Amino acid sequence: MSKSCGCKSRFNAVFMKNLEWYLHNIYGNYKKSLFSKLGKEVLEIGAGTGTNLPYYKPDTQLTVIEPSKDMLEFFLKKAEKYPLNIRVIEGFAEELPFEDSSFDSVVSTLVLCSVKSPQKVLREIRRVLKPDGVFVFIEHVKAPENTITEKVQDVLHKGWKWLFEGCDIKRDTGKMIQSFFSDVHYRTIRFNSPFIPVNYHIIGHGIKKSH
Ligand SMILES: C[S@@+](CC[C@H](N)C(=O)[O-])C[C@H]1O[C@@H](n2cnc3c(N)ncnc32)[C@H](O)[C@@H]1O
């Protein structure tokens, strides 16, 4: 798998770095509640610039997998400030380099929109989770049919995907998560303006059932 040209990768890393304060504003309280469900051994996929670092409990054994060197540069700098035990791996979540049932919990925030194959990634997340392990997520999703946002997504879909390195604003990620996990619960939040292409977000968790 390859990523786009270096300048776009740099742009996206700087963009995400500058968006951190905003993400804390809109998701901070939700993340506090979601991350309280995490076990000790946690995998975060697509950790980006490290937006989620402040939300982990201090005794967390955190592994992150992230394909972008530019994101990782910011991540590593930020990670120095947190007293967590962190293992960083450069790679893609479609092929997780871990044994089955390695983690208590897996975290994905704003990542399943960008991966090449969300189905492969969800299958991998389920594989590396321990039985009864929890998958927590925040993802922006496809707008409901016949809404203004749906029309906005139709118009901007291609350009957005090009600019934001594969980010697909029309993915029905909630449905996909439900097909891989049990006891999936999420809420959908919506910003005030229907003209925002990433207007609808799902925030929740699912469980890997032990069979
Ligand atoms: C919109 S950013 C979100 C970053 C971070 N999770 C956050 O909430 O701020 C999407 C991230 O997913 C990463 N990504 C893209 N494709 C990926 C893949 N196949 N596997 C893992 N991460 C991926 C990108 O490099 C980027 O860091």
Side-chain angles (χ1 to χ4, degrees):
M1 249 178 287
S2 65
K3 292 291 281 179
S4 60
C5 79
C7 51
K8 228 194 280 174
S9 165
R10 190 76 201 155
F11 164 78
N12 274 282
V14 172
F15 180 77
M16 287 311 293
K17 182 75 202 151
N18 283 294
L19 207 64
E20 277 186 14
W21 67 272
Y22 181 66
L23 297 177
H24 289 308
N25 273 355
I26 56 173
Y27 298 135
N29 285 336
Y30 295 115
K31 284 186 179 174
K32 277 181 203 154
S33 153
L34 264 189
F35 282 50
S36 70
K37 299 182 194 311
L38 301 178
K40 193 166 180 184
E41 298 219 25
V42 180
L43 169 67
E44 181 175 347
I45 63 161
T49 57
T51 322
N52 291 331
L53 284 168
Y55 301 95
Y56 289 108
K57 293 173 229 162
D59 65 341
T60 304
Q61 310 261 356
L62 179 66
T63 300
V64 306
I65 184 156
E66 165 58 58
S68 159
K69 281 194 170 57
D70 292 298
M71 295 279 184
L72 281 178
E73 197 183 309
F74 288 116
F75 181 94
L76 291 169
K77 232 178 253 166
K78 186 162 189 176
E80 286 170 14
K81 294 188 208 138
Y82 293 87
L84 302 165
N85 188 344
I86 309 178
R87 169 170 61 147
V88 176
I89 293 168
E90 193 183 324
F92 294 90
E94 279 87 348
E95 284 177 38
L96 294 173
F98 313 112
E99 310 253 300
D100 296 359
S101 306
S102 299
F103 297 96
D104 299 313
S105 316
V106 177
V107 172
S108 170
T109 64
L110 309 178
V111 180
L112 292 173
C113 53
S114 297
V115 302
K116 273 232 165 75
S117 169
Q119 284 87 357
K120 262 192 184 172
V121 171
L122 288 166
R123 193 169 302 119
E124 279 292 86
I125 292 173
R126 194 177 57 189
R127 181 183 67 75
V128 303
L129 267 177
K130 295 177 187 169
D132 296 321
V134 62
F135 170 47
V136 309
F137 53 87
I138 298 180
E139 300 288 344
H140 62 75
V141 294
K142 180 181 185 303
E145 280 175 25
N146 301 320
T147 55
I148 293 174
T149 311
E150 185 191 38
K151 310 276 176 291
V152 174
Q153 289 184 337
D154 286 342
V155 173
L156 295 183
H157 181 238
K158 276 199 182 140
W160 189 280
K161 200 167 183 179
W162 175 83
L163 183 62
F164 295 110
E165 296 192 297
C167 176
D168 183 347
I169 48 182
K170 289 169 66 78
R171 276 192 186 159
D172 198 351
T173 306
K175 208 171 183 177
M176 285 188 241
I177 293 172
Q178 275 169 328
S179 68
F180 283 89
F181 291 91
S182 308
D183 299 337
V184 175
H185 295 282
Y186 61 77
R187 69 173 78 202
T188 304
I189 61 162
R190 188 158 68 90
F191 297 126
N192 287 329
S193 167
F195 295 100
I196 298 172
V198 289
N199 193 18
Y200 291 84
H201 294 231
I202 55 171
I203 300 177
H205 69 278
I207 304 288
K208 171 181 174 173
K209 267 283 170 259
S210 42
H211 290 115

